[in-house]
């Protein structure tokens, strides 16, 4: 399965405290009763999925991720009796049963085709089902990426590694997202941006594992740590996250 990047699942699991904090508000907006079936769209290592499981004492979690290492980690962490974890691409989602709600945290900006994504999520929901999601939005980690770009631009040897590079992030804005949600069949669609500065305890390891993946994939492994350390020094320890919040629902079944 082709994805925007690969992940070190166990290091991500340890360092994803900021993502776990972001997820709480996204889960609050779902206002679950506790007996629903909910899809975790892009479950990653399973750390945030466990937060969803806690809110569903009488319900069920179905999780999907496209990265084989993340799927394996989530299965091992959560236990296969507790959560069904599918190895799938969200843009070609195929679940055995419709779900009551879709939850997603820190995933959509890794997916280039939001039209296909939203159509697949709408198709997975039962009539009246709800979506609550958050991902990187317009301007997300712009300072981090400007620092990385400046390092590349200043060094002709680094520049050679980035010849023909296409930036894989899809940091969407609010208007385009609302339009895409409606085109996919969602109603009551709302999207808004929220600045969310993050100060990781260990910025270099955090940048290596989470923010700089697509840059590092272009560089020889021996240069990864120095590149991340130089970016960390330029940004001064604070990462300028901007989150795109999304809520929407699919229409209820037509009566009559
Ligand atoms: C930053 S992690 C977030 C994981 C988890 N939701 C969290 O909040 O910690 C992004 C995840 O999105 C997954 N992902 C990216 N593109 C995907 C796609 N097209 N289909 C399914 N999962 C995808 C990645 O494999 C990765 O596990």
């Amino acid at each position: 399965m082709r994805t925007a990047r690969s992940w070190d699942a166990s290091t991500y699991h340890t360092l994803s405290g900021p993502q776990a904090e972001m997820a709480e508000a996204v889960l609050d907006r779902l206002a679950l009763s506790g007996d629903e079936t909910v899809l975790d769209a892009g479950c990653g290592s399973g750390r945030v999925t466990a937060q969803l499981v806690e809110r569903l004492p009488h319900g069920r979690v179905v999780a999907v991720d496209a990265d084989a290492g993340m799927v394996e980690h989530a299965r091992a962490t959560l236990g296969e009796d507790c959560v069904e974890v599918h190895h799938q691409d969200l843009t070609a989602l195929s679940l055995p049963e419709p779900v009551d709600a879709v939850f997603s945290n820190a995933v959509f900006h890794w997916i280039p085709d939001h039209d296909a994504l939203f159509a697949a999520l709408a198709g997975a929901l039962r009539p009246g089902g709800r979506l609550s999601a958050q991902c990187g939005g317009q301007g997300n980690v712009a300072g981090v990426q400007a620092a990385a770009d400046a390092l590349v631009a200043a060094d002709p040897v680094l520049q050679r590694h980035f010849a023909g590079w296409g930036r894989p992030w899809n940091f969407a804005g609010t208007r385009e997202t609302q339009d895409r949600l409606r085109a996919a069949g969602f109603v009551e669609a709302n999207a808004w941006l929220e600045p969310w500065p993050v100060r990781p305890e260990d910025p270099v390891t955090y940048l290596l594992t989470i923010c700089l993946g697509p840059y590092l994939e272009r560089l020889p492994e021996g240069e990864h740590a120095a590149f991340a350390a130089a970016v960390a020094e330029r940004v001064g320890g604070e990462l300028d996250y901007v989150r795109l919040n999304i809520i929407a629902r699919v229409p209820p079944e037509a009566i009559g």
Side-chain angles (χ1 to χ4, degrees), residues 3 7 12 16 19 40 42-45 48 64-67 70 88-91 105-107 110-111:
T3 52
W7 294 89
Y12 179 80
S16 51
Q19 286 71 18
D40 184 358
C43 62
S45 64
V48 165
V64 165
D65 203 280
D67 183 276
M70 288 292 211
Q88 286 186 23
D89 186 321
L90 287 167
T91 59
N105 189 58
V107 177
W110 293 112
I111 300 179

Side-chain angles (χ1 to χ4, degrees), residues 8-239:
D8 170 349
S10 65
T11 313
Y12 179 80
H13 197 78
T14 310
L15 295 183
S16 51
Q19 286 71 18
E21 275 178 36
M22 292 167 190
E24 283 297 317
V26 188
L27 287 167
D28 286 347
R29 284 193 282 274
L30 265 184
L32 294 165
S33 310
D35 59 357
E36 297 94 336
T37 298
V38 182
L39 168 65
D40 184 358
C43 62
S45 64
R47 177 171 174 167
V48 165
T49 318
Q51 295 168 237
L52 174 58
V53 170
E54 270 180 31
R55 293 178 184 232
L56 291 166
H58 309 293
R60 210 157 62 85
V61 175
V62 181
V64 165
D65 203 280
D67 183 276
M70 288 292 211
V71 168
E72 195 181 322
H73 196 283
R75 282 181 182 149
T77 304
L78 299 162
E80 290 187 54
D81 294 343
C82 174
V83 179
E84 225 177 273
V85 186
H86 298 271
H87 185 203
Q88 286 186 23
D89 186 321
L90 287 167
T91 59
L93 190 59
S94 167
L95 299 180
E97 309 273 336
V99 294
D100 299 311
V102 174
F103 157 77
S104 183
N105 189 58
V107 177
F108 294 175
H109 56 275
W110 293 112
I111 300 179
D113 187 347
H114 280 183
D115 291 317
L117 170 67
F118 295 154
L121 297 181
L125 281 164
R126 66 152 173 81
R130 291 169 300 138
L131 165 67
S132 177
Q134 189 189 77
C135 61
Q138 207 165 52
N140 190 51
V141 293
V144 174
Q145 295 195 349
D149 292 344
L151 287 169
V152 174
D155 183 338
V157 178
L158 283 183
Q159 272 173 39
R160 278 204 291 276
H161 294 299
F162 289 86
W165 186 51
R167 309 171 76 82
W169 299 275
N170 184 6
F171 294 138
T174 53
R175 176 70 71 85
E176 63 189 293
T177 298
Q178 283 165 185
D179 289 348
R180 288 196 164 111
L181 288 163
R182 289 182 194 121
F186 283 99
V187 294
E188 296 167 34
N190 195 7
W192 69 101
L193 293 169
E194 181 177 9
W196 195 299
V198 167
R199 294 192 75 85
E201 270 172 40
D202 175 354
V204 175
T205 312
Y206 186 94
L207 287 168
L208 276 169
T209 308
I210 297 179
C211 298
L212 295 177
Y215 286 93
L216 302 176
E217 283 175 357
R218 306 294 289 202
L219 297 175
E221 202 162 345
E223 294 177 28
H224 289 187
F227 188 79
V231 173
E233 196 183 328
R234 279 178 179 247
V235 297
E238 182 167 288
L239 313 180

